[in-house]
């Protein structure tokens, strides 16, 4: 389809789009949620019986305009968010958001059985069906899971449930898992606000829990374990790691990992020793020495991983080897390493190196390697988060039991990012 025809179609349908948006914006102020859900049912699912004829005509005109599925997805997605943006701030109306999603989930078998309706209704049904398989709809379902997260949810008792129900636990994934390309500015702002709130709560819970556990251990050393049990923590463990795993992770990400140096110390020293007039080739040699996990006793690291990493760095932007090191080259190199260590893209979701690392050195050490990279180039933190969003989306329909290795890594990353980029001081754990 040429650009002139696309522009012509867009101009022809823009008025109908806006008519539907304006209509829903006015109705959401006066109708109860159940009334609005029934309106969406009549308008988009049944395709008939809508009380406002002008709105039905506007939608019919959109359907018969040979609208691309992705354009219709954008329209229906925006219609849903017009309601959700109004409802999500009200505790009484939050339940309606689940019912809105249920409307579309229940519509799938219904739409597939439509044979006798008019051609326009069949076309509408096909478009709605495509919407329920779209990335926008998946992002919408993840968003609903986040805002409707129960205050107390025993995730461990739901380990046979899909990975997707854990999305509320990982604020660092929100930007990439809850937003789609056509998300409005208002929705982006809302996600940013929710992300900040959830991140802050996790950091506080983690700090309080760790402090209380250390206090209990001190009491037990001075008196007895029985005496310490009297001071049992009223604060639940905010992670899905057991106490041993959690404190191993905290000591790894906050404490000393090489001699008297923490990951943060190592990163600062490495960058301090990097000279602006150093060649890019020389920088990559130094970077290899910095990244290589000398403290890990693993034959896989010695015999396979180190060699693969060295070759990757040698083949990273080789035409710039004789140029001076620069921040731009640092950024490009760190991006390439994250592609190699985690996953390249949703189009190329292979992650064999990542799986091998976890199998051979465990989730905590694997996250430690990634942390080393992000600490020398903080601009790649969003890029790292996007790599994990790709993995999360790739496995989201699998049971948690089936991808326990990924859950452990996601939990470790939550701790690592909070300890090194959060607003709570966890240095007392050292």
């Amino acid at each position: 389809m040429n650009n002139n025809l696309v522009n012509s179609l867009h101009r022809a349908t823009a008025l109908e789009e806006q008519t539907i948006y304006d209509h829903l914006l006015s109705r959401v102020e006066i109708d109860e949620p159940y009334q609005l859900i029934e309106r969406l049912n009549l308008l988009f699912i049944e395709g008939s019986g809508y009380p406002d004829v002008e709105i039905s005509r506007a939608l019919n005109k959109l359907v018969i305009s040979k609208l691309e599925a992705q354009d219709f997805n954008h329209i229906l997605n925006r219609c849903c968010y017009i309601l959700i943006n109004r409802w999500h701030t009200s505790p009484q109306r939050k339940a309606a958001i689940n019912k809105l999603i249920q409307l579309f989930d229940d519509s799938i078998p219904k739409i597939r059985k439509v044979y006798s309706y008019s051609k326009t209704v069949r076309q509408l049904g096909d478009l709605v069906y495509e919407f329920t398989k779209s990335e926008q709809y998946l992002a919408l379902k993840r968003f609903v899971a986040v805002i409707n997260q129960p205050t107390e949810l025993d995730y461990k008792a739901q380990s046979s449930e899909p990975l997707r129900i854990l999305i509320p636990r990982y604020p660092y994934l929100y930007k990439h898992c809850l937003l789609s390309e056509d998300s409005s500015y208002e929705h982006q702002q809302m996600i940013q606000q929710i992300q900040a709130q959830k991140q802050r709560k996790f950091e506080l819970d983690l700090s309080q829990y760790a402090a209380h556990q250390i206090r209990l251990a001190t009491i037990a050393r001075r008196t007895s374990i029985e005496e310490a049990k009297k001071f049992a923590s009223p604060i639940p463990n905010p992670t899905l790691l057991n106490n041993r795993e959690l404190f191993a992770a905290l000591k790894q990400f906050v404490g000393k990992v090489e001699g008297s140096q923490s990951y943060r110390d190592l990163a600062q020293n490495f960058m301090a020793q990097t000279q602006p007039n150093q060649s890019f080739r020389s920088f990559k040699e130094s970077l290899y020495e910095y990244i290589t996990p000398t403290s890990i006793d693993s034959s896989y690291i010695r015999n396979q991983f180190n060699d693969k990493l060295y070759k990757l760095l040698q083949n990273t932007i080789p035409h710039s080897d004789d140029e001076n090191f620069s921040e731009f080259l640092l950024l490009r190199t760190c991006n390439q390493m994250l592609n190699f260590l985690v996953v390249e893209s949703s189009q190329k979701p292979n992650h064999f190196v990542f799986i091998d690392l976890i199998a051979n050195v465990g989730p905590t050490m694997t996250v430690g390697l990634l942390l080393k990279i992000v600490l020398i180039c903080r601009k790649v933190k969003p890029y790292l988060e996007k790599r994990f969003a790709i993995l999360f989306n790739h496995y989201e329909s699998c049971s948690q039991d089936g991808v326990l290795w990924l859950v452990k890594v996601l939990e470790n990353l939550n701790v690592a990012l909070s300890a090194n980029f959060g607003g709570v001081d966890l240095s007392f754990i050292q």
Side-chain angles (χ1 to χ4, degrees):
M1 192 179 291
N2 65 50
N3 287 339
N4 288 337
L5 184 54
V6 170
N7 291 336
S8 174
L9 275 173
H10 181 71
R11 285 194 298 274
T13 59
L15 177 62
E16 283 69 35
E17 271 187 61
Q18 197 57 52
T19 298
I20 294 172
Y21 299 151
D22 290 344
H23 172 71
L24 289 176
L25 283 165
S26 66
R27 298 307 314 184
V28 78
E29 295 296 331
I30 54 179
D31 286 351
E32 289 298 320
Y34 75 89
Q35 294 172 309
L36 281 162
I37 290 171
E38 179 54 23
R39 278 181 174 271
L40 257 64
N41 178 48
L42 293 173
L43 188 61
F44 289 107
I45 311 300
E46 302 293 338
S48 63
Y50 197 73
D52 296 85
V53 177
E54 180 192 358
I55 305 306
S56 293
R57 285 181 186 149
L59 180 60
N60 287 344
K61 189 169 180 180
L62 286 171
V63 171
I64 64 175
S65 68
K66 298 192 181 336
L67 203 64
E68 295 284 342
Q70 62 190 37
D71 294 323
F72 183 82
N73 291 345
H74 165 75
I75 294 167
L76 189 44
N77 194 48
R78 175 124 184 238
C79 289
C80 290
Y81 275 113
I82 285 172
L83 309 187
I84 290 170
N85 290 348
R86 183 74 173 81
W87 293 343
H88 91 278
T89 54
S90 167
Q92 293 79 17
R93 297 186 172 197
K94 270 191 178 181
I97 300 175
N98 278 335
K99 291 178 181 174
L100 177 63
I101 293 295
Q102 197 64 46
L103 172 69
F104 288 102
D105 283 348
D106 291 347
S107 76
I108 296 171
K110 192 187 302 183
I111 289 169
R112 293 292 86 189
K113 291 178 181 176
V114 171
Y115 300 109
S116 58
Y117 290 160
S118 70
K119 181 181 177 183
T120 306
V121 172
R122 288 198 304 274
Q123 288 176 319
L124 173 63
D126 289 340
L127 288 168
V128 172
Y129 179 70
E130 289 303 316
F131 172 69
T132 62
K133 297 194 299 180
S134 69
E135 180 54 39
Q136 285 102 325
Y137 188 62
L138 287 174
L140 176 62
K141 292 184 82 166
R142 294 181 204 121
F143 172 68
V144 171
V146 167
I147 60 175
N148 279 327
Q149 180 187 17
T151 306
E152 294 296 333
L153 180 60
D154 187 357
Y155 288 104
K156 292 177 183 177
Q158 300 194 17
S159 57
S160 61
E161 293 294 316
L163 178 69
R164 73 166 63 92
I165 74 164
L166 296 186
I167 185 65
R169 299 190 52 77
Y170 310 121
Y172 57 87
L173 297 181
Y174 288 4
K175 181 180 176 183
H176 307 289
C177 288
L178 307 186
L179 295 173
S180 52
E181 289 180 0
D182 57 1
S183 292
S184 67
Y185 174 76
E186 292 76 15
H187 185 55
Q188 291 177 46
Q189 292 295 104
M190 179 168 60
I191 293 296
Q192 194 172 8
Q193 183 180 26
I194 293 171
Q195 178 180 0
Q197 290 169 349
K198 296 266 188 180
Q199 184 63 45
R200 178 67 177 169
K201 184 179 186 309
F202 175 77
E203 290 170 10
L204 287 171
D205 289 349
L206 180 63
S207 175
Q208 290 171 0
Y209 181 76
H212 193 77
Q213 291 299 308
I214 290 171
R215 198 175 304 123
L216 288 182
T218 303
I219 293 169
R221 279 197 303 271
R222 290 176 180 171
T223 55
S224 65
I225 293 175
E226 287 70 25
E227 189 68 24
K229 284 180 180 177
K230 295 178 183 178
F231 299 89
S233 177
I235 306 161
N237 182 339
T239 76
L240 297 181
L241 305 172
N242 60 39
N243 261 15
R244 182 185 58 78
E245 293 169 329
L246 173 57
F247 278 88
L250 284 168
K251 287 177 182 176
Q252 184 73 17
F253 305 136
V254 180
K256 310 304 182 186
V257 286
E258 289 185 19
S260 62
Q261 294 187 307
S262 65
Y263 279 122
R264 197 176 293 180
D265 297 331
L266 290 169
Q268 288 172 347
N269 290 341
F270 172 73
M271 292 309 294
Q273 291 167 13
T274 301
Q275 302 300 320
N277 60 354
Q278 184 177 1
S279 72
F280 181 51
R281 180 187 288 105
S282 171
F283 169 76
K284 289 193 292 185
E285 293 284 350
S286 302
L287 181 61
Y288 170 76
E289 296 297 330
Y290 165 73
I291 294 294
T292 305
T294 56
S295 59
I296 302 176
D297 183 20
S298 163
S299 59
Y300 166 74
I301 293 292
R302 290 191 303 272
N303 301 329
Q304 295 182 54
F305 176 78
N306 287 352
D307 186 49
K308 288 179 183 177
L309 178 63
Y310 188 80
K311 286 177 180 174
L312 172 84
L313 288 171
Q314 292 300 303
N315 294 325
T316 298
I317 328 176
H319 58 273
S320 296
D321 278 353
D322 294 325
E323 294 178 16
N324 284 352
F325 161 77
S326 66
E327 189 174 340
F328 171 73
L329 289 173
L330 171 66
L331 185 64
R332 287 277 306 275
T333 305
C334 289
N335 280 347
Q336 292 277 19
M337 283 198 294
L338 293 178
N339 285 347
F340 165 72
L341 291 170
V342 187
V343 63
E344 185 172 336
S345 66
S346 53
Q347 291 74 38
K348 296 180 181 177
N350 295 333
H351 43 283
F352 302 120
V353 172
F354 190 60
I355 295 288
D356 282 345
L357 271 171
I358 295 163
N360 284 280
V361 304
T364 302
M365 292 296 187
T366 300
V367 170
L369 282 176
L370 303 175
L371 184 60
K372 272 188 164 184
I373 295 169
V374 182
L375 285 172
I376 61 168
C377 184
R378 295 189 172 223
K379 287 183 179 178
V380 297
K381 181 173 173 282
Y383 194 83
L384 173 67
E385 293 164 351
K386 188 173 183 180
R387 303 304 94 195
F388 275 93
I390 291 169
L391 286 181
F392 188 91
N393 295 349
H394 184 71
Y395 286 107
E396 69 176 328
S397 59
C398 299
S399 72
Q400 296 163 48
D401 282 339
V403 287
L404 188 58
W405 58 270
L406 180 55
V407 174
K408 297 285 188 185
V409 175
L410 291 168
E411 292 291 326
N412 270 274
L413 189 61
N414 219 5
V415 175
L417 295 179
S418 297
N420 287 275
F421 297 94
V424 175
D425 183 8
L426 295 171
S427 59
F428 64 86
I429 292 166
Q430 297 183 40

